[in-house]
mmCIF file with all atom_site columns, all heavy atoms in Angstrom:
data_model
loop_
_atom_site.group_PDB
_atom_site.id
_atom_site.type_symbol
_atom_site.label_atom_id
_atom_site.label_alt_id
_atom_site.label_comp_id
_atom_site.label_asym_id
_atom_site.label_entity_id
_atom_site.label_seq_id
_atom_site.pdbx_PDB_ins_code
_atom_site.Cartn_x
_atom_site.Cartn_y
_atom_site.Cartn_z
_atom_site.occupancy
_atom_site.B_iso_or_equiv
_atom_site.pdbx_formal_charge
_atom_site.auth_seq_id
_atom_site.auth_comp_id
_atom_site.auth_asym_id
_atom_site.auth_atom_id
_atom_site.pdbx_PDB_model_num
ATOM 1   N N   . THR A 1 1153 ? 122.450 -138.715 -51.872 1.00 89.00 ? 1153 THR A N   1
ATOM 2   C CA  . THR A 1 1153 ? 122.854 -140.091 -51.567 1.00 89.00 ? 1153 THR A CA  1
ATOM 3   C C   . THR A 1 1153 ? 123.238 -140.733 -52.825 1.00 89.00 ? 1153 THR A C   1
ATOM 4   O O   . THR A 1 1153 ? 122.628 -140.611 -53.816 1.00 89.00 ? 1153 THR A O   1
ATOM 5   C CB  . THR A 1 1153 ? 121.584 -140.803 -50.929 1.00 89.00 ? 1153 THR A CB  1
ATOM 6   O OG1 . THR A 1 1153 ? 121.145 -140.219 -49.851 1.00 89.00 ? 1153 THR A OG1 1
ATOM 7   C CG2 . THR A 1 1153 ? 122.132 -142.292 -50.615 1.00 89.00 ? 1153 THR A CG2 1
ATOM 8   N N   . CYS A 1 1154 ? 124.519 -141.413 -52.721 1.00 90.00 ? 1154 CYS A N   1
ATOM 9   C CA  . CYS A 1 1154 ? 124.905 -142.264 -53.884 1.00 90.00 ? 1154 CYS A CA  1
ATOM 10  C C   . CYS A 1 1154 ? 124.302 -143.638 -53.706 1.00 90.00 ? 1154 CYS A C   1
ATOM 11  O O   . CYS A 1 1154 ? 124.489 -144.243 -52.657 1.00 90.00 ? 1154 CYS A O   1
ATOM 12  C CB  . CYS A 1 1154 ? 126.367 -142.361 -53.900 1.00 90.00 ? 1154 CYS A CB  1
ATOM 13  S SG  . CYS A 1 1154 ? 127.279 -140.709 -54.251 1.00 90.00 ? 1154 CYS A SG  1
ATOM 14  N N   . ARG A 1 1155 ? 123.578 -144.100 -54.740 1.00 90.00 ? 1155 ARG A N   1
ATOM 15  C CA  . ARG A 1 1155 ? 122.910 -145.367 -54.593 1.00 90.00 ? 1155 ARG A CA  1
ATOM 16  C C   . ARG A 1 1155 ? 123.369 -146.233 -55.779 1.00 90.00 ? 1155 ARG A C   1
ATOM 17  O O   . ARG A 1 1155 ? 123.776 -145.768 -56.886 1.00 90.00 ? 1155 ARG A O   1
ATOM 18  C CB  . ARG A 1 1155 ? 121.359 -145.152 -54.750 1.00 90.00 ? 1155 ARG A CB  1
ATOM 19  C CG  . ARG A 1 1155 ? 120.750 -144.486 -53.542 1.00 90.00 ? 1155 ARG A CG  1
ATOM 20  C CD  . ARG A 1 1155 ? 120.877 -145.387 -52.291 1.00 90.00 ? 1155 ARG A CD  1
ATOM 21  N NE  . ARG A 1 1155 ? 120.109 -144.782 -51.145 1.00 90.00 ? 1155 ARG A NE  1
ATOM 22  C CZ  . ARG A 1 1155 ? 120.248 -145.162 -49.894 1.00 90.00 ? 1155 ARG A CZ  1
ATOM 23  N NH1 . ARG A 1 1155 ? 121.186 -146.087 -49.642 1.00 90.00 ? 1155 ARG A NH1 1
ATOM 24  N NH2 . ARG A 1 1155 ? 119.565 -144.676 -48.976 1.00 90.00 ? 1155 ARG A NH2 1
ATOM 25  N N   . CYS A 1 1156 ? 123.427 -147.569 -55.565 1.00 91.00 ? 1156 CYS A N   1
ATOM 26  C CA  . CYS A 1 1156 ? 123.649 -148.562 -56.523 1.00 91.00 ? 1156 CYS A CA  1
ATOM 27  C C   . CYS A 1 1156 ? 122.357 -149.045 -57.285 1.00 91.00 ? 1156 CYS A C   1
ATOM 28  O O   . CYS A 1 1156 ? 121.345 -149.200 -56.576 1.00 91.00 ? 1156 CYS A O   1
ATOM 29  C CB  . CYS A 1 1156 ? 124.371 -149.840 -55.964 1.00 91.00 ? 1156 CYS A CB  1
ATOM 30  S SG  . CYS A 1 1156 ? 125.961 -149.296 -55.061 1.00 91.00 ? 1156 CYS A SG  1
ATOM 31  N N   . PRO A 1 1157 ? 122.412 -149.329 -58.490 1.00 91.00 ? 1157 PRO A N   1
ATOM 32  C CA  . PRO A 1 1157 ? 121.319 -149.864 -59.194 1.00 91.00 ? 1157 PRO A CA  1
ATOM 33  C C   . PRO A 1 1157 ? 120.955 -151.328 -58.628 1.00 91.00 ? 1157 PRO A C   1
ATOM 34  O O   . PRO A 1 1157 ? 121.876 -151.930 -57.989 1.00 91.00 ? 1157 PRO A O   1
ATOM 35  C CB  . PRO A 1 1157 ? 121.700 -149.870 -60.678 1.00 91.00 ? 1157 PRO A CB  1
ATOM 36  C CG  . PRO A 1 1157 ? 123.026 -149.202 -60.880 1.00 91.00 ? 1157 PRO A CG  1
ATOM 37  C CD  . PRO A 1 1157 ? 123.593 -149.043 -59.414 1.00 91.00 ? 1157 PRO A CD  1
ATOM 38  N N   . ASP A 1 1158 ? 119.774 -151.770 -58.923 1.00 89.00 ? 1158 ASP A N   1
ATOM 39  C CA  . ASP A 1 1158 ? 119.424 -153.148 -58.376 1.00 89.00 ? 1158 ASP A CA  1
ATOM 40  C C   . ASP A 1 1158 ? 120.287 -154.157 -59.080 1.00 89.00 ? 1158 ASP A C   1
ATOM 41  O O   . ASP A 1 1158 ? 120.715 -155.157 -58.420 1.00 89.00 ? 1158 ASP A O   1
ATOM 42  C CB  . ASP A 1 1158 ? 117.915 -153.333 -58.602 1.00 89.00 ? 1158 ASP A CB  1
ATOM 43  C CG  . ASP A 1 1158 ? 117.090 -152.544 -57.637 1.00 89.00 ? 1158 ASP A CG  1
ATOM 44  O OD1 . ASP A 1 1158 ? 117.572 -152.039 -56.626 1.00 89.00 ? 1158 ASP A OD1 1
ATOM 45  O OD2 . ASP A 1 1158 ? 115.975 -152.340 -58.064 1.00 89.00 ? 1158 ASP A OD2 1
ATOM 46  N N   . ASN A 1 1159 ? 120.516 -154.023 -60.356 1.00 85.00 ? 1159 ASN A N   1
ATOM 47  C CA  . ASN A 1 1159 ? 121.354 -154.945 -60.985 1.00 85.00 ? 1159 ASN A CA  1
ATOM 48  C C   . ASN A 1 1159 ? 122.662 -154.259 -61.393 1.00 85.00 ? 1159 ASN A C   1
ATOM 49  O O   . ASN A 1 1159 ? 122.804 -153.829 -62.635 1.00 85.00 ? 1159 ASN A O   1
ATOM 50  C CB  . ASN A 1 1159 ? 120.623 -155.508 -62.207 1.00 85.00 ? 1159 ASN A CB  1
ATOM 51  C CG  . ASN A 1 1159 ? 119.392 -156.281 -61.845 1.00 85.00 ? 1159 ASN A CG  1
ATOM 52  O OD1 . ASN A 1 1159 ? 119.333 -157.144 -61.001 1.00 85.00 ? 1159 ASN A OD1 1
ATOM 53  N ND2 . ASN A 1 1159 ? 118.269 -156.045 -62.624 1.00 85.00 ? 1159 ASN A ND2 1
ATOM 54  N N   . VAL A 1 1160 ? 123.576 -154.183 -60.521 1.00 79.00 ? 1160 VAL A N   1
ATOM 55  C CA  . VAL A 1 1160 ? 124.793 -153.402 -60.768 1.00 79.00 ? 1160 VAL A CA  1
ATOM 56  C C   . VAL A 1 1160 ? 125.876 -154.350 -61.470 1.00 79.00 ? 1160 VAL A C   1
ATOM 57  O O   . VAL A 1 1160 ? 125.961 -155.523 -61.018 1.00 79.00 ? 1160 VAL A O   1
ATOM 58  C CB  . VAL A 1 1160 ? 125.335 -152.772 -59.445 1.00 79.00 ? 1160 VAL A CB  1
ATOM 59  C CG1 . VAL A 1 1160 ? 125.772 -153.963 -58.419 1.00 79.00 ? 1160 VAL A CG1 1
ATOM 60  C CG2 . VAL A 1 1160 ? 126.544 -151.804 -59.679 1.00 79.00 ? 1160 VAL A CG2 1
ATOM 61  N N   . ASP A 1 1161 ? 126.615 -153.703 -62.384 1.00 72.00 ? 1161 ASP A N   1
ATOM 62  C CA  . ASP A 1 1161 ? 127.674 -154.458 -63.013 1.00 72.00 ? 1161 ASP A CA  1
ATOM 63  C C   . ASP A 1 1161 ? 128.982 -153.873 -62.402 1.00 72.00 ? 1161 ASP A C   1
ATOM 64  O O   . ASP A 1 1161 ? 129.247 -152.678 -62.606 1.00 72.00 ? 1161 ASP A O   1
ATOM 65  C CB  . ASP A 1 1161 ? 127.709 -154.216 -64.531 1.00 72.00 ? 1161 ASP A CB  1
ATOM 66  C CG  . ASP A 1 1161 ? 126.485 -154.959 -65.069 1.00 72.00 ? 1161 ASP A CG  1
ATOM 67  O OD1 . ASP A 1 1161 ? 126.024 -156.006 -64.664 1.00 72.00 ? 1161 ASP A OD1 1
ATOM 68  O OD2 . ASP A 1 1161 ? 125.936 -154.404 -66.082 1.00 72.00 ? 1161 ASP A OD2 1
ATOM 69  N N   . GLY A 1 1162 ? 129.788 -154.696 -61.758 1.00 71.00 ? 1162 GLY A N   1
ATOM 70  C CA  . GLY A 1 1162 ? 131.000 -154.130 -61.190 1.00 71.00 ? 1162 GLY A CA  1
ATOM 71  C C   . GLY A 1 1162 ? 130.816 -153.670 -59.798 1.00 71.00 ? 1162 GLY A C   1
ATOM 72  O O   . GLY A 1 1162 ? 129.771 -153.929 -59.096 1.00 71.00 ? 1162 GLY A O   1
ATOM 73  N N   . ARG A 1 1163 ? 131.781 -152.925 -59.215 1.00 78.00 ? 1163 ARG A N   1
ATOM 74  C CA  . ARG A 1 1163 ? 131.806 -152.520 -57.821 1.00 78.00 ? 1163 ARG A CA  1
ATOM 75  C C   . ARG A 1 1163 ? 130.959 -151.268 -57.716 1.00 78.00 ? 1163 ARG A C   1
ATOM 76  O O   . ARG A 1 1163 ? 131.198 -150.266 -58.408 1.00 78.00 ? 1163 ARG A O   1
ATOM 77  C CB  . ARG A 1 1163 ? 133.252 -152.357 -57.371 1.00 78.00 ? 1163 ARG A CB  1
ATOM 78  C CG  . ARG A 1 1163 ? 133.394 -152.005 -55.914 1.00 78.00 ? 1163 ARG A CG  1
ATOM 79  C CD  . ARG A 1 1163 ? 134.844 -152.063 -55.563 1.00 78.00 ? 1163 ARG A CD  1
ATOM 80  N NE  . ARG A 1 1163 ? 134.959 -151.971 -54.060 1.00 78.00 ? 1163 ARG A NE  1
ATOM 81  C CZ  . ARG A 1 1163 ? 136.195 -151.958 -53.448 1.00 78.00 ? 1163 ARG A CZ  1
ATOM 82  N NH1 . ARG A 1 1163 ? 137.291 -152.024 -54.130 1.00 78.00 ? 1163 ARG A NH1 1
ATOM 83  N NH2 . ARG A 1 1163 ? 136.250 -151.730 -52.137 1.00 78.00 ? 1163 ARG A NH2 1
ATOM 84  N N   . CYS A 1 1164 ? 130.220 -151.191 -56.603 1.00 82.00 ? 1164 CYS A N   1
ATOM 85  C CA  . CYS A 1 1164 ? 129.430 -149.928 -56.336 1.00 82.00 ? 1164 CYS A CA  1
ATOM 86  C C   . CYS A 1 1164 ? 129.249 -149.888 -54.829 1.00 82.00 ? 1164 CYS A C   1
ATOM 87  O O   . CYS A 1 1164 ? 129.022 -150.935 -54.167 1.00 82.00 ? 1164 CYS A O   1
ATOM 88  C CB  . CYS A 1 1164 ? 128.100 -150.005 -57.065 1.00 82.00 ? 1164 CYS A CB  1
ATOM 89  S SG  . CYS A 1 1164 ? 127.081 -148.572 -56.687 1.00 82.00 ? 1164 CYS A SG  1
ATOM 90  N N   . VAL A 1 1165 ? 129.306 -148.672 -54.139 1.00 77.00 ? 1165 VAL A N   1
ATOM 91  C CA  . VAL A 1 1165 ? 129.123 -148.566 -52.787 1.00 77.00 ? 1165 VAL A CA  1
ATOM 92  C C   . VAL A 1 1165 ? 128.058 -147.480 -52.532 1.00 77.00 ? 1165 VAL A C   1
ATOM 93  O O   . VAL A 1 1165 ? 128.073 -146.425 -53.184 1.00 77.00 ? 1165 VAL A O   1
ATOM 94  C CB  . VAL A 1 1165 ? 130.469 -148.089 -52.155 1.00 77.00 ? 1165 VAL A CB  1
ATOM 95  C CG1 . VAL A 1 1165 ? 130.231 -147.863 -50.639 1.00 77.00 ? 1165 VAL A CG1 1
ATOM 96  C CG2 . VAL A 1 1165 ? 131.524 -149.159 -52.417 1.00 77.00 ? 1165 VAL A CG2 1
ATOM 97  N N   . ASP A 1 1166 ? 127.054 -147.829 -51.774 1.00 78.00 ? 1166 ASP A N   1
ATOM 98  C CA  . ASP A 1 1166 ? 125.980 -146.802 -51.393 1.00 78.00 ? 1166 ASP A CA  1
ATOM 99  C C   . ASP A 1 1166 ? 126.589 -145.962 -50.253 1.00 78.00 ? 1166 ASP A C   1
ATOM 100 O O   . ASP A 1 1166 ? 127.541 -146.335 -49.506 1.00 78.00 ? 1166 ASP A O   1
ATOM 101 C CB  . ASP A 1 1166 ? 124.739 -147.492 -50.720 1.00 78.00 ? 1166 ASP A CB  1
ATOM 102 C CG  . ASP A 1 1166 ? 123.999 -148.104 -51.819 1.00 78.00 ? 1166 ASP A CG  1
ATOM 103 O OD1 . ASP A 1 1166 ? 124.179 -147.852 -52.963 1.00 78.00 ? 1166 ASP A OD1 1
ATOM 104 O OD2 . ASP A 1 1166 ? 123.005 -148.927 -51.455 1.00 78.00 ? 1166 ASP A OD2 1
ATOM 105 N N   . GLY A 1 1167 ? 126.199 -144.703 -50.269 1.00 70.00 ? 1167 GLY A N   1
ATOM 106 C CA  . GLY A 1 1167 ? 126.684 -143.765 -49.265 1.00 70.00 ? 1167 GLY A CA  1
ATOM 107 C C   . GLY A 1 1167 ? 125.923 -142.520 -49.306 1.00 70.00 ? 1167 GLY A C   1
ATOM 108 O O   . GLY A 1 1167 ? 125.439 -141.990 -50.330 1.00 70.00 ? 1167 GLY A O   1
#
Side-chain angles (χ1 to χ4, degrees):
T1153 302
C1154 295
R1155 292 293 190 197
C1156 298
D1158 290 336
N1159 296 317
V1160 63
D1161 292 328
R1163 188 171 183 180
C1164 179
V1165 178
D1166 284 346

